[in-house]
Amino acid sequence: MKLYLTGEPFTQQRHCYYIETEQLSFIVDCGYQRCYADDALPHLTSEQIKSSRYLFLSHSHENQAGALSFLFQCGFSGQVVLTTETARQLTVPLDNPIFLEALSLPYAEAELPGGLKIIWGRSGHCSGSAWFKLTADGRSIFFSGDYYSGARVHAFDPIEGLSADLAVLDCDYGMSKESNKAQIDTLTSAISEALADNRPVVLPVPRFGRGEGILTCISERLPGTDIFGDRHFISELRHLDATALWVLPEAQDLLNNVFVRPFPKDFVALGVYFLSDPQLDTPAARQLVRQLLICGGRVILTGTVEPNTYASLLLHSGKAQFLRYGVHCTQQEMLQIAAKNDFKKIIAYRSDFAPDRPVYTI
């Protein structure tokens, strides 16, 4: 078995892995990275794409699934393996996908045509996100996806008691020492201070995942705060009732009691605005931000800010502030996961275990 790092070989900017076995080949994730205009797509060859029997998607975020249409355009004709919730979130239609929930329960091994065995579990990153252990030719490889056991909303299956010859583990926050509690303290304090100063707060968040976690923190720590959301954000909150598999029961109970209003049309109200556009790509998002800034609003960015985006422009001009809300692992957390399993070798970007070559023989 051979693993080819075909995303960004020595960073974690986008994820894409090509695996070659004696019997078949397959791809895990196909991330797109918008900030690299001339190098935004995976480094897959046409032969690798066309020969792959499967594409496993850990979740729907752009740096895991953004190059899906590119793969189809380049001749990928295999089956996409993913959860039903991830499939719902994609904008690209799928022909004859394999749904993990129909294949097996978490932790239960199933076999796919071609002799490839899979064990999967929920990763806690967003609804539908998953980790995988894949076995072929007597060798195994593990992908954690964006596993995060500190999730406040999304359910996860602990990565414990597993073995693999090679494990690719999320370590997006690298050597950071700041705790999740400290991040939440800082973020909610900043929101509270802004509101006390009669300044509305804008939170640009991904379409799936992080925003719901931040909402629980505001609801718990700043009760009575007026919350506004765009159409997508409100729709996803309503959809949580239909995705009990992916949501922690206590989070579901909390969010069911949170009232989120649509954005006011003709005036600016004091409160927190959830905007489902983390890089502020759309004209509507930019218009809302400009309107709120004119009224003294505060823009707080809580996740990765891509270069050459409107979010980046605001940040570097001092019109936005960056306060991280964690949804990934640090090196310390990654090593705690590794200690609970039997992984012969580890690859973890942005850590002491970062990859040192583009191809690994397992």
Side-chain angles (χ1 to χ4, degrees):
M1 180 183 284
K2 283 189 176 181
L3 168 70
Y4 296 78
L5 308 184
T6 55
E8 178 77 13
F10 302 112
T11 73
Q12 200 181 21
Q13 296 302 308
R14 61 173 178 265
H15 294 269
C16 187
Y17 307 93
Y18 175 76
I19 297 91
E20 193 174 61
T21 76
E22 293 179 3
Q23 303 298 323
L24 78 168
S25 59
F26 56 92
I27 301 168
V28 174
D29 284 337
C30 54
Y32 173 85
Q33 195 69 22
R34 67 177 62 212
C35 64
Y36 298 133
D38 299 322
D39 185 24
L41 295 165
H43 298 172
L44 290 163
T45 67
S46 176
E47 181 180 353
Q48 288 173 333
I49 294 172
K50 292 177 180 178
S51 67
S52 293
R53 185 160 182 174
Y54 300 108
L55 165 64
F56 296 87
L57 289 182
S58 63
H59 59 287
S60 67
H61 288 167
E62 188 174 73
N63 66 328
Q64 268 78 20
L68 182 57
S69 59
F70 165 74
L71 262 60
F72 288 138
Q73 292 167 9
C74 292
F76 174 75
S77 59
Q79 289 181 281
V80 181
V81 185
L82 73 177
T83 65
T84 54
E85 181 63 11
T86 294
R88 181 190 71 86
Q89 296 167 13
L90 296 175
T91 58
V92 179
L94 302 178
D95 183 24
N96 193 30
I98 297 175
F99 294 123
L100 290 169
E101 302 98 317
L103 196 61
S104 68
L105 295 172
Y107 300 118
E109 187 174 73
E111 186 166 347
L112 295 165
L116 183 62
K117 296 178 181 179
I118 179 172
I119 295 174
W120 71 280
R122 299 166 295 179
S123 72
H125 188 64
C126 63
S127 290
S129 62
W131 51 257
F132 311 109
K133 175 186 173 182
L134 302 164
T135 303
D137 304 334
R139 310 298 285 176
S140 57
I141 184 168
F142 179 84
F143 293 92
S144 72
D146 286 346
Y147 174 82
Y148 187 58
S149 62
R152 295 178 58 87
V153 172
H154 297 102
F156 62 93
D157 296 303
I159 301 173
E160 297 177 359
L162 299 174
S163 61
D165 296 290
L166 176 64
V168 182
L169 304 180
D170 175 44
C171 190
D172 193 41
Y173 296 154
M175 306 299 182
S176 174
K177 302 294 185 183
E178 187 180 28
S179 69
N180 182 256
K181 180 182 180 302
Q183 292 174 350
I184 294 172
D185 289 344
T186 302
L187 177 59
T188 53
S189 292
I191 293 171
S192 178
E193 291 170 6
L195 296 177
D197 198 29
N198 291 315
R199 300 173 62 187
V201 176
V202 189
L203 297 174
V205 294
R207 289 172 60 81
F208 307 100
R210 190 188 331 132
E212 292 140 349
I214 297 175
L215 180 57
T216 64
C217 297
I218 295 174
S219 300
E220 290 174 339
R221 299 193 176 202
L222 304 174
T225 299
D226 285 335
I227 306 294
F228 302 93
D230 59 23
R231 183 178 302 175
H232 176 83
F233 187 78
I234 293 174
S235 175
E236 285 303 306
L237 282 177
R238 292 171 178 166
H239 181 73
L240 289 179
D241 286 331
T243 57
L245 173 67
W246 303 103
V247 181
L248 296 168
E250 59 272 26
Q252 182 70 78
D253 292 341
L254 175 62
L255 292 174
N256 280 341
N257 293 315
V258 176
F259 180 55
V260 179
R261 299 174 171 84
F263 289 164
K265 293 183 178 180
D266 302 319
F267 61 94
V268 172
L270 184 64
V272 177
Y273 292 70
F274 282 88
L275 184 57
S276 305
D277 188 349
Q279 308 305 327
L280 303 175
D281 286 331
T282 65
R286 298 180 186 189
Q287 176 61 30
L288 174 70
V289 167
R290 284 193 288 265
Q291 183 180 3
L292 291 173
L293 285 174
I294 290 172
C295 297
R298 184 172 183 179
V299 179
I300 301 179
L301 306 169
T302 56
T304 299
V305 180
E306 301 282 4
N308 305 315
T309 61
Y310 191 68
S312 176
L313 176 65
L314 290 179
L315 181 64
H316 292 295
S317 63
K319 295 180 179 180
Q321 181 181 14
F322 179 79
L323 297 175
R324 187 184 300 285
Y325 177 85
V327 290
H328 293 274
C329 287
T330 63
Q331 173 166 298
Q332 181 180 2
E333 292 165 336
M334 178 274 295
L335 289 175
Q336 290 171 354
I337 295 169
K340 298 176 182 178
N341 299 274
D342 180 20
F343 298 142
K344 302 296 188 296
K345 184 171 179 58
I346 292 170
I347 294 174
Y349 298 88
R350 304 190 185 186
S351 78
D352 293 331
F353 302 86
D356 55 11
R357 54 188 182 275
V359 182
Y360 286 79
T361 299
I362 305 169

